[in-house]
Amino acid sequence: MPASTVAAIIATCNRATYLGQALDSVLAQSAPAAQVIVVDDGSSDATGALLQSYGDRIRALRQDNGGKSTALNRALPLVTSDYVWIFDDDDIALLHNIESHRAVLDAHPNLGFVYSGCEVIRDAAGGGYERHGRLALPMPPDDEIFPRMLEQNFMQQQGMLVRTACYRAVGPFNETLDRSQDYEMNLRLARRFAGHGLDAPSFLFREHAGARGRPGQTFAAHQRSERWVAFSRQMLPRLHRELSLEEFLPRSQSVPPLDGARRRRALLQRACIMARCGLWPEALPDLEEALLGLLPDVPLSSREEDFCQRMLGMFLQRDLAIEGLVGEEDHARRFACLLARSPHASPRRLFAALLTRYAEERLPLGKKIEFATRALALATGMDDSPAPVADVGLGVSI
């Protein structure tokens, strides 16, 4: 049986400085790509001349600038290979990227995609680059990839190999998005198809100070996480309405109707997803039902406690959940009330510890004093004994 074929796609715009390294790494793979398609999305630098130098080793296309989504959508219909690998124009592929991913898809026809992690590199003062270690990569069980992706975008297309049929099935990239089009696409893939993670780096992710975005809509490198959070805060409320509750469970547990245990887990997972982006109007009703309305005599499992931990724990913007909570008095009071009424002591301990840590880290530095003071007051008002609703919040100054 012949080996499966791979099409590598690169969308580029004004990255001639790095594009050559990216292309060279793609062309040097231990298992070569059958197709290498590069779409020049209206570059005004030396990109055109650089692409010409590769001759027939690549298929180079040029278009007026329309954004990364339009460039990828230009290339995808040209793919005749079994799998698609979308690579970035400023990163470097490790030698066995294609080989390691293809082996998994070839061996497991039930999988739609494979993903892996990366190492971080930064430009060196005298030229070249310096390695700065592996980027942390969550490795959830395969059947939990979709709900965990709703928490955090941990799959990068440079480290993914996807069946071409899967891209055809979910449709083209969203051309209305100037940022996070990869995240939106990966959510569509993970929602519909099974995937698998490889706990090994497959590319070098370049951190550099160069501008991001298309001409006329560029932004600085340090604004990347801010842009991602802004997109997530727009997208997640819609998904909260559109997704069925069972979709927040592992695939193996998602068959309806949900019993009490699975419903509680799904509610806590959904609350975790919303809270991490500071979406407390969506998170609080789920948290309330999970902690008050379901299985009051059954302690939370370690997995459910982990959801509570992640709600307020460190993240891309680690303060977003806490400041979204204590910054709105109504949210904070409702949060305090439901925890005081809950028969479960572990969430109170977890939340109190995280709020206290936040306050203790900021108060000595004189940073965000108002938020830190409110967080500490909220944490101090939590104890391990349930209290009646009327007593909640009387000693908490928020």
Side-chain angles (χ1 to χ4, degrees):
M1 181 177 178
S4 299
T5 55
V6 173
I9 298 175
I10 298 177
T12 187
C13 181
N14 292 335
R15 284 276 174 76
T17 302
Y18 299 123
L19 179 60
Q21 281 186 309
L23 261 174
D24 290 345
S25 70
V26 167
L27 292 167
Q29 288 292 295
S30 59
Q35 297 175 272
V36 179
I37 304 171
V38 184
V39 182
D40 179 0
D41 187 38
S43 296
S44 57
D45 62 0
T47 294
L50 176 67
L51 293 178
Q52 285 184 354
S53 71
Y54 283 87
D56 60 4
R57 300 173 68 196
I58 65 173
R59 181 172 182 179
L61 308 172
R62 180 175 171 84
Q63 64 179 30
D64 292 338
N65 182 260
K68 186 174 181 179
S69 292
T70 65
L72 294 175
N73 288 341
R74 173 89 179 274
L76 281 170
L78 304 176
V79 170
T80 58
S81 301
D82 302 294
Y83 307 139
V84 173
W85 176 34
I86 296 174
F87 203 72
D88 269 11
D89 58 1
D90 55 355
D91 293 331
I92 299 173
L94 296 179
L95 181 63
H96 302 289
N97 190 311
I98 289 179
E99 185 177 5
S100 60
H101 292 82
R102 188 176 69 178
V104 177
L105 289 182
D106 283 349
H108 300 280
N110 61 305
L111 295 177
F113 60 88
V114 182
Y115 69 94
S116 58
C118 64
E119 293 183 43
V120 175
I121 60 173
R122 300 189 182 103
D123 294 342
Y129 59 84
E130 299 173 344
R131 294 197 182 199
H132 289 265
R134 289 182 61 177
L135 193 66
L137 177 70
M139 292 295 297
D142 288 351
D143 66 349
E144 290 184 40
I145 291 174
F146 177 62
R148 289 297 298 274
M149 275 289 289
L150 290 169
E151 287 185 35
Q152 176 184 352
N153 181 23
F154 55 84
M155 295 194 306
Q156 299 184 75
Q157 289 172 331
Q158 309 94 301
M160 293 179 67
L161 194 63
V162 182
R163 294 187 190 276
T164 305
C166 295
Y167 275 123
R168 303 269 195 262
V170 300
F173 282 84
N174 187 338
E175 296 186 4
T176 68
L177 299 176
D178 284 320
R179 294 299 302 170
S180 298
Q181 61 277 100
D182 55 343
Y183 182 36
E184 192 270 344
M185 173 59 78
N186 286 347
L187 285 175
R188 279 191 267 158
L189 290 168
R191 182 184 183 188
R192 187 160 176 180
F193 299 104
H196 178 71
L198 298 177
D199 190 15
S202 64
F203 70 99
L204 304 180
F205 177 78
R206 190 189 302 271
E207 290 187 345
H208 60 84
R212 269 72 172 170
R214 52 190 294 194
Q217 300 180 28
T218 59
F219 57 91
H222 70 271
Q223 295 177 303
R224 288 180 57 189
S225 62
E226 178 182 321
R227 294 288 184 112
W228 183 86
V229 168
F231 169 76
S232 295
R233 285 174 60 83
Q234 293 176 356
M235 174 191 67
L236 289 176
R238 174 178 59 80
L239 291 180
H240 189 285
R241 297 188 299 269
E242 294 179 358
L243 296 176
S244 62
L245 184 59
E246 55 264 24
E247 290 187 87
F248 292 87
L249 289 170
R251 291 176 187 270
S252 58
Q253 300 182 28
S254 63
V255 179
L258 301 182
D259 57 22
R262 288 185 296 151
R263 182 172 181 83
R264 186 171 77 176
R265 173 171 173 162
L267 287 166
L268 286 171
Q269 171 71 87
R270 190 166 68 179
C272 174
I273 290 165
M274 301 299 153
R276 281 163 71 87
C277 279
L279 297 168
W280 287 101
E282 288 77 17
L284 284 169
D286 286 345
L287 191 59
E288 190 166 20
E289 181 181 351
L291 297 184
L292 301 182
L294 295 170
L295 308 176
D297 298 326
V298 179
L300 268 60
S301 68
S302 59
R303 183 58 58 86
E304 290 171 325
E305 290 183 359
D306 188 46
F307 294 146
C308 294
Q309 178 85 17
R310 294 206 302 271
M311 279 188 208
L312 299 184
M314 292 183 65
F315 191 43
L316 285 175
Q317 294 198 2
R318 60 173 301 172
D319 305 338
L320 193 64
I322 290 177
E323 292 174 6
L325 176 63
V326 301
E328 294 287 341
E329 184 173 349
D330 289 345
H331 297 165
R333 287 192 179 280
R334 185 173 178 183
F335 182 77
C337 285
L338 75 89
L339 285 174
R341 294 171 58 198
S342 171
H344 305 292
S346 57
R348 285 194 293 277
R349 289 195 298 267
L350 285 170
F351 291 139
L354 290 165
L355 289 163
T356 301
R357 176 184 171 188
Y358 168 85
E360 290 178 344
E361 287 180 350
R362 277 146 191 78
L363 287 172
L365 300 175
K367 292 183 176 180
K368 300 184 178 179
I369 298 295
E370 183 179 1
F371 285 120
T373 302
R374 292 184 177 195
L376 188 59
L378 185 57
T380 304
M382 297 178 188
D383 58 38
D384 285 344
S385 57
V389 178
D391 293 340
V392 173
L394 295 180
V396 181
S397 175
I398 51 178

